[in-house]
Amino acid sequence: MNWSTRELATISALAVMPGVSSQLSSHYAISRNSGLTTKQLHHFIDILETECGDISVTDARNTLTQFLDNENKTSN
């Protein structure tokens, strides 16, 4: 398994766990460093939502939004 695939597996596990926003944010950063794009991460969360349900991934989506907002602020 390559690094990006490992990160997606980790994110999918964390996405359905409550109270792990800081870990999710860290793994979003690692996934971006491993080459995943913003579009790919959003699409991945969409797939998780379809497969696991809206309530299960709400925190994961919110954490991704916060992470990307912070990433944009630090890159400007």
Side-chain angles (χ1 to χ4, degrees), residues 49 52-59 61:
E49 184 176 44
C52 301
D54 183 36
I55 293 173
S56 296
V57 298
T58 299
D59 287 341
R61 185 178 304 282

Side-chain angles (χ1 to χ4, degrees), residues 8-70:
L8 289 176
T10 302
I11 290 169
S12 65
L14 291 171
V16 296
M17 294 180 194
V20 294
S21 296
S22 63
Q23 291 93 332
L24 259 173
S25 187
S26 295
H27 284 283
Y28 287 142
I30 295 167
S31 68
R32 294 283 286 136
N33 289 334
S34 72
L36 291 172
T37 66
T38 299
K39 185 176 180 177
Q40 288 172 315
L41 288 173
H42 278 291
H43 183 66
F44 185 67
I45 296 299
D46 290 342
I47 291 169
L48 286 177
E49 184 176 44
T50 299
E51 297 300 320
C52 301
D54 183 36
I55 293 173
S56 296
V57 298
T58 299
D59 287 341
R61 185 178 304 282
N62 292 341
T63 302
L64 178 59
T65 300
Q66 282 182 318
F67 168 76
L68 293 172
D69 286 347
N70 288 337

